[in-house]
Amino acid sequence: MTVLILTSPPRHAWLWLIGAALLIAWLRHDRAWRGPRDPGENQALLEIASKAAKLGGWVVHLPDRRIEWSDETWTIHERPRGKTVTLDEGIGYFAPEWRDTIKRHFETCVETGQPYDIEVEIIDGAGRCKWVRAIGVAIYDDAGRVSRIQGALQDIDERKRLESAARDLERRFAESMENISDAFFQLDTEWRFTYLNRQAERLLERPRSTLLGRLIWHEFPEASSGIIRQHYKRAVGENKTADFEVFYESLNAWFSVTAYPGTSGLTVYFRDVTKRHAADQHLHLLEMAISRIDDFVIITKSASQHGDRQSIVYVNDAFVRITGYSREDALDRSPGFLRGPQTDAATVEKINRAIALPRAIRAEILNYAKDGREYWVDMSIAPIVGPDGRATHFVATGRDITEKKRAAERLAESEERFSIVAMMTTDAIWDWDIATGRVQWNSNIASVFGHEDVPVEDGFREWEAKIHPDERARVVSSVLAAIDGKANTWLEEYRFRRGTGTYAEVLDQGHIIRNAAGEATRMVGGVRDITEARLIEAKRLQAQRLEAIGQLTGGVAHDFNNLLTVIIGTAETLSDEIADPRLSAIAKLNHKASRQGAALTRQLLTFAGRQPLEPAPLNINKSIRAMEGLLGTALGETIILHLELDPAAGHVRADAAQLEASIMNLCINARDAMPAGGKLTISTARDGDDAVIRICDDGLGMDAETRAKAFEPFFTTKPFGKGSGLGLSMVYGFVRQSGGRIDIESEPGKGTTVSLSFPRLASAAVPAEPVSAKVLQGGSERILVVEDDPMVRDFAAGTLVSLGYSVTCAGDATEALRTLETDGPFDLVFSDVVMPGRLDGLAMANEIKAHRPDLPVVLATGYADIESTGATSRFRPLAKPYTRRQLAEAMREAIDVSRGGQ
């Protein structure tokens, strides 16, 4: 029995409590909660359970049939939170094919009180089908009548997908086992068949239905009494793979067997090698036959280095009979020892040239027997070519024609045997007959590049026509030069037209096959699509370049921020305190110019990804709608603005001002790219876990070189004086600092699309921003100022002293901690974040927090993200450059809050 304790939950909370309670009751059955729990603890536990199980609650009130859903149920449906829906509306959220089923179960529960628990599909707010588990139970009133139906809805879509994937994996594994060329079966630990594939059925000549679950030794007695059982048991006993070959007499076949032991038994792969054994036997018979023929046979080992001689490794009986030399006399000697004074030197040279190429040759030559007797032989010499294309051995066969001049027939010349160096596997394989121009392609020319029914005749011209016009001459001349020369391989990279008309970056390589005269007769190779690899490499190089530029600009901007802090502060002081109107105007002009310098610095820091941001949850569609009027004015009358905003795009966490500035920058760039007018489309969409904003124009577009430099600071294609070159770099830095990415798709004359992708928030809750006080206040408290830059330190200290504070200064964190120990107490520590030495401002703040938790620390930064810096301190950091007013407000607020907390 499951006991559920509830205490006055907030309004609508009981709905998810119902769902969570149903889930807990379902899982625990007869286990009772021991002892009463705190109601708040119960509610928290149930909230955790419902979220972890993706479970929501619902109730249908009878007789009016109103439905109330918990927040989790609304979340499962991915619909905005409502109060109630009608029963028909609720059923309408289910997929059409499941509506009758859910309605039938519900009505049965209403009429008979019979609960239900079924798996069905719903249509969520985005229009997608989703699997859910629907549970319903009847609740009775005091009179025993069903007064309402309540239950739970559980999101099981991920589980169903995993189950489907598992079934598919199992099916594909089974198909693989069925289709492999080797026979395959498995035995359990008791030697019983648990699985056989189709090939095993064929080789064993037994259907698997008669073998599964049966003992192998009973079904195949011959295996039980022979070496098969010995190998199997040794493999299991020693836990080692067994490899052996065996002749199975009852099947009249030789098998090559590999047995793999495992915890569940033995896995056996085997194949029929009867033909190979027959080939071995045939080879033995052939050797015996060669030894008995009348013609002599000499096999020589090729010279390993230039200048070395060949050496005899085999002679047959006929050689001994014809020459008079024994095998021992001939082995390891050069065949040249058979020649003598009358041997024709030209014939010898001809043979040597043929061997050097290497190529087969037939010649008649005068040799000398061991006893000095001259004899003529009709001799054929053929090379045996290894995998590297070089001759490893030569086979010479000869017939004594001294007494057989009338025997005009000669021995059939051994067919040259050679193999082509193994080709590198590529996506689209081609075979080119150079003499005829025929080119044959494998099926990948269609699947990879989209070319159907490629003509074989005149295939070289067909291939040439698909090369990009700008590269055609270079590629064709390259392959022709390789053919005309002595090269054995050819390789080029170029653009190859797809069936759709677009071009792919490809790597094309081929192997040239030449005849004995060295003429190219055939070429075999393959084309590989490397478009994606080149794009990834280009993006990697661009990211590295931008990162290096970002580090440089970020460092310069940070140091400049320190200078601007002093300049702005002193200009503000002079502007407020100088009575002379002329000097006051100069001070105000100085203040205005320094603020513009601060704005430029912010743009540089934004590109470097170090601009202090104020991110908050925001609805990107709402932000774009709010800019519609401003954009219309900025774009002018010749540009048609079109918005395509998808509600599913949702919310992101970003700095609203920077997002609006980025969109405005991109729209202004698009306007400038359409000098004669055009259409600008701003669209939003959800892409997986991201929300995407796309700004698309039909303007001039960019070439590859311009795209590669687009994000670099100060790079611009606009005329001198028309742009700073910081627009796109600012957008790039803002997006990257916000955890997103930016992509550009553009071609000359085809417009530009810029895509901004941000991590999408699951919740759209937006906290209210506090309103800052506008009154400049000082105080008499004691403040420790920690700043490594002397000018910034003097400015901050002077400003605070002018506001009435008692100020002590330190040049780094180590000095500051020592000052706190020896010269305290202090009411507040004001410190820069980036400082030299072992500790920076963040580390110092943590050290102070550990030992003096009541001492407030306010940090200043011109580098790091405001939010991450703020996580270390209770108080909001100051962004450099800061004004006197901002400094005063931050000090006063921190001191007052700290004292209020005490």
Side-chain angles (χ1 to χ4, degrees), residues 53-66:
K54 297 183 179 179
L55 188 72
W58 58 266
V59 62
V60 177
H61 300 279
L62 302 177
D64 57 358
R65 300 196 171 204
R66 290 181 299 102

Side-chain angles (χ1 to χ4, degrees), residues 665-666 669 702 710-711 725-733 742 744 754:
N665 254 317
L666 295 174
N669 283 350
M702 291 183 277
F711 297 128
L726 289 176
L728 278 178
S729 63
M730 182 274 291
V731 177
Y732 171 85
I742 180 170
I744 296 180
V754 181

